[in-house]
Amino acid sequence: MDKPFNPDHEILDYFDSLFAEQPAKQIDSGEQLAAQTSAGGAVAPEEPIADLSAALPSNTIVPARLTVPTVQSVSPSNTLSHAMIQARSASSSTAPSSITRGESSAVAALRRQSVTHIQPHDRQAALAELEAVKREQLQALLSQNLPKVVAKRSAPKTTERPKPITAPPIEASPIVTSPERDIASVPVVINPVEDSAADTAVDGHINNDLNSPTEDETAVKSGVNAILAWEPNGRPVWAQQRFDVLLFDVSGLTLAVPLVALGQIQQINESLTPIFGQSEWFMGLLKTANGPIKTLNTALFVMPEKYDQTFLDTAKYVVTIDGLPWGLAVNSVNQPVTLEPSDVVWRSQRTKRPWLAGTVKSAMCALVDIPQMAAILSSSEKKSR
Amino acid sequence: MAANLANNKSGQDPVLQWVTFKLAGETYGVNVMQVQEVLRYTEIAPVPGAPSYVLGIINLRGNVVTVIDTRERFGLPPGEVTDNTRVVIIEADKHVIGILVDSVAEVVYLRQSEIETAPNVGNEESAKFIQGVCHKNNELLILIELDKLLTDDEWAEIEGA
């Protein structure tokens, strides 16, 4: 018979064990390479989120950087999709330099540049803007002040390749700018409405541009890599200066995820379908308006030694990882907090908990390394295929 | 030109029919072409020494048909026999067997393009039975590949029993 689970003591003990691990001064090159590689592998081609926002049901709030790679068919759902984050730069092959609502030219430029070509000042400013917009929309979510969007059904999926989903024109969208930066040289272009590339694919007229990544797609991918990649100083790019994290509770343990890496928040309800023959930490597929989300039993994944079966009944939300069809089941979502890089005890020895980027004593939380976690999830799936 | 495109569409994206059934609260589908008939639950005669996933045999119009415990095969918790319980007679890998299900729902039409790859996390053998997943009628349909339900050795074992 297992010892009864006492969240008050067990979690504190567990958290103490997290702090007990000695951080390294600087991340070693091999790990750094792995982190950067994993960041690259974790990021899927982006789709214009502003378009998705128009395609979702009326009770859905669109996340800022919603990138479910294989989503083609958007159908009304009885699930309550929560949203957080802001609209992001559109990245279709037809509008390489377009910018949609919610992101400034600097953010878009960040996404287009590789990590080695970004000026530190511009990158930090862009990240700050990205976080600011995400925080604003997250606050809207947390206060249940959910803006309505119009439901629209898009064309069914026809191929494995991710394709842009089109939407009506976007009205005046807020573009956050910094007074210090000159954005006049960066053209702000709103994507014109096109009739979907998916229809073109159905008709057998697949545009060659869709078969190979365009320069812009590559640039966007490397831009996201730039955000999630790790610097030689042992911290990720987004943590070079003050940054925002979202806190959520998992069986008494508080986890933190940087806002820049978040996708959306979904409620767990009857639409979570377990699939037999999977690992125990795989809870099932959660049906969303944007496609099925592979839901991770976060409690079992991060602390199997403290796992309590009641988590299956108490988990209420799924926090999705931006760019991946994976989500973390959590008990509750808390307010985002702003952290200084020095608040975090950064880890580089990842032999025991590769998903743990560091710990934050002030918030008593564990900071999740999203690229590493994504790499673990992806590799676990690849291995078993 | 339009006719050619239509042909291409149907050729590239065929519509398949799937018989759906319930098992442990979830909905599964099997290719209708492999379903021979659906029977109400009848007494199943146990076979001593048979594998755990074999419930027993039934007499189907003079033919002996082995009935598989689908829950056991899929690694699902055992369930009770109810009025809705059915034995679906299928042809898999050139063999005829019955699979016990909680209930049979309907026949649905799915385009090939609607079928998505199922997650494959872990090393459970039963994962190979899943051909794909699909959203239909506001629920997730798990499509079963019946030809992989038993291996050659297992077929031989069943027939030997």
Side-chain angles (χ1 to χ4, degrees):
Chain A
M1 188 67 182
D2 292 335
K3 193 170 63 174
F5 180 76
N6 184 337
D8 293 338
H9 296 94
E10 299 281 347
I11 297 302
L12 285 176
D13 292 345
Y14 178 76
F15 202 78
D16 288 342
S17 71
L18 295 183
F19 284 125
E21 295 176 16
Q22 291 299 319
K25 293 291 183 187
Q26 183 169 333
I27 192 167
D28 63 83
S29 58
E31 185 171 357
Q32 182 187 342
L33 179 61
Q36 292 181 353
T37 305
S38 64
V43 177
E46 298 188 13
E47 296 169 354
I49 192 59
D51 298 333
L52 276 177
S53 69
L56 294 176
S58 58
N59 62 345
T60 303
I61 297 179
V62 179
R65 302 177 54 216
L66 189 62
T67 51
V68 180
T70 58
V71 169
Q72 290 299 316
S73 175
V74 179
S75 58
S77 165
N78 59 357
T79 62
L80 177 60
S81 306
H82 286 281
M84 11 200 293
I85 329 190
Q86 106 282 23
R88 61 167 186 177
S89 61
S91 60
S92 72
S93 58
T94 54
S97 60
S98 61
I99 297 173
T100 56
R101 65 183 174 185
E103 282 192 358
S104 72
S105 56
V107 175
L110 175 64
R111 295 191 184 286
R112 284 195 295 269
Q113 297 174 28
S114 69
V115 67
T116 54
H117 295 107
I118 299 173
Q119 295 300 320
H121 176 268
D122 290 345
R123 187 171 61 203
Q124 293 303 332
L127 278 172
E129 291 176 10
L130 186 62
E131 284 185 345
V133 178
K134 286 194 173 191
R135 172 182 276 273
E136 187 177 306
Q137 297 200 1
L138 184 60
Q139 288 294 350
L141 161 70
L142 295 173
S143 63
Q144 298 295 307
N145 184 20
L146 309 181
K148 303 282 187 180
V149 292
V150 180
K152 176 188 175 184
R153 185 182 292 273
S154 67
K157 190 184 94 171
T158 55
T159 69
E160 291 290 328
R161 291 185 55 74
K163 302 179 189 66
I165 298 174
T166 59
I170 304 162
E171 294 183 3
S173 55
I175 297 178
V176 181
T177 58
S178 171
E180 293 83 11
R181 267 199 340 276
D182 177 19
I183 61 169
S185 59
V186 182
V188 177
V189 180
I190 304 299
N191 271 340
V193 175
E194 297 173 6
D195 254 335
S196 66
D199 287 341
T200 307
V202 168
D203 291 340
H205 297 283
I206 301 174
N207 189 339
N208 286 336
D209 292 343
L210 294 177
N211 291 330
S212 57
T214 63
E215 185 180 338
D216 184 63
E217 286 171 339
T218 307
V220 167
K221 186 180 268 190
S222 62
V224 175
N225 290 350
I227 294 174
L228 296 178
W230 285 64
E231 294 282 22
N233 63 2
R235 300 200 306 259
V237 170
W238 47 264
Q240 296 304 307
Q241 291 184 357
R242 180 182 293 184
F243 60 94
D244 289 337
V245 296
L246 178 67
L247 302 181
F248 48 83
D249 182 79
V250 176
S251 280
L253 174 67
T254 302
L255 294 179
V257 170
L259 287 190
V260 295
L262 284 181
Q264 56 182 328
I265 298 177
Q266 299 277 343
Q267 269 190 333
I268 293 180
N269 50 26
E270 66 276 0
S271 62
L272 180 66
T273 304
I275 308 287
F276 66 80
Q278 311 299 316
S279 291
E280 283 186 54
W281 47 261
F282 181 78
M283 283 182 71
L285 285 176
L286 182 69
K287 179 185 165 234
T288 73
N290 307 301
I293 297 294
K294 299 169 190 172
T295 304
L296 177 71
N297 186 327
T298 316
L300 184 59
F301 188 84
V302 303
M303 44 181 185
E305 67 275 16
K306 305 288 183 188
Y307 180 64
D308 182 10
Q309 285 280 353
T310 57
F311 178 75
L312 293 173
D313 300 323
T314 56
K316 290 182 180 175
Y317 300 99
V318 173
V319 179
T320 65
I321 300 172
D322 186 29
L324 284 181
W326 281 94
L328 313 179
V330 302
N331 292 119
S332 62
V333 178
N334 303 324
Q335 293 286 337
V337 297
T338 301
L339 297 175
E340 296 286 349
S342 58
D343 294 337
V344 182
V345 181
W346 298 98
R347 296 175 75 239
S348 65
Q349 303 298 323
R350 304 291 185 87
T351 53
K352 194 173 181 183
R353 297 182 182 91
W355 54 266
L356 181 61
T359 50
V360 186
K361 281 193 176 180
S362 59
M364 285 294 285
C365 66
L367 186 60
V368 178
D369 184 350
I370 288 297
Q372 279 291 340
M373 179 169 273
I376 296 169
L377 296 175
S378 299
S379 65
S380 68
E381 199 165 22
K382 285 173 186 169
K383 278 179 191 171
S384 53
R385 285 195 186 281
Chain B
M1 181 67 180
N4 289 338
L5 287 178
N7 289 336
N8 285 340
K9 276 185 190 178
S10 59
Q12 291 174 357
D13 193 11
V15 177
L16 302 174
Q17 296 179 66
W18 298 81
V19 176
T20 65
F21 60 87
K22 292 278 187 181
L23 207 58
E26 305 303 333
T27 307
Y28 297 84
V30 293
N31 190 335
V32 74
M33 299 303 291
Q34 293 181 272
V35 176
Q36 293 190 345
E37 57 187 301
V38 178
L39 308 174
R40 286 185 177 276
Y41 179 81
T42 62
E43 199 66 33
I44 299 173
V47 178
S52 60
Y53 56 83
V54 172
L55 280 172
I57 55 175
I58 58 173
N59 186 339
L60 180 62
R61 294 184 291 275
N63 295 321
V64 174
V65 175
T66 303
V67 179
I68 301 293
D69 185 349
T70 320
R71 283 175 174 260
E72 161 80 15
R73 192 64 181 153
F74 290 173
L76 300 172
E80 293 182 355
V81 173
T82 68
D83 289 343
N84 295 323
T85 301
R86 297 289 184 270
V87 177
V88 182
I89 306 297
I90 60 164
E91 181 180 347
D93 203 14
K94 298 178 182 175
H95 302 272
V96 175
I97 55 168
I99 57 173
L100 191 72
V101 300
D102 291 352
S103 65
V104 170
E106 59 180 337
V107 176
V108 297
Y109 292 78
L110 300 178
R111 286 187 178 277
Q112 186 70 40
S113 60
E114 292 179 283
I115 300 173
E116 299 180 36
T117 306
N120 192 358
V121 181
N123 299 311
E124 295 288 334
E125 279 295 307
S126 55
K128 68 184 179 186
F129 306 147
I130 302 177
Q131 182 173 343
V133 296
C134 179
H135 273 116
K136 195 72 176 179
N137 299 334
N138 212 25
E139 64 182 355
L140 190 74
L141 194 59
I142 304 169
L143 305 177
I144 302 299
E145 188 157 0
L146 290 174
D147 287 339
K148 292 184 178 176
L149 197 57
L150 295 173
T151 64
D152 290 343
D153 290 342
E154 288 169 334
W155 280 119
E157 188 178 11
I158 285 179
E159 290 178 346

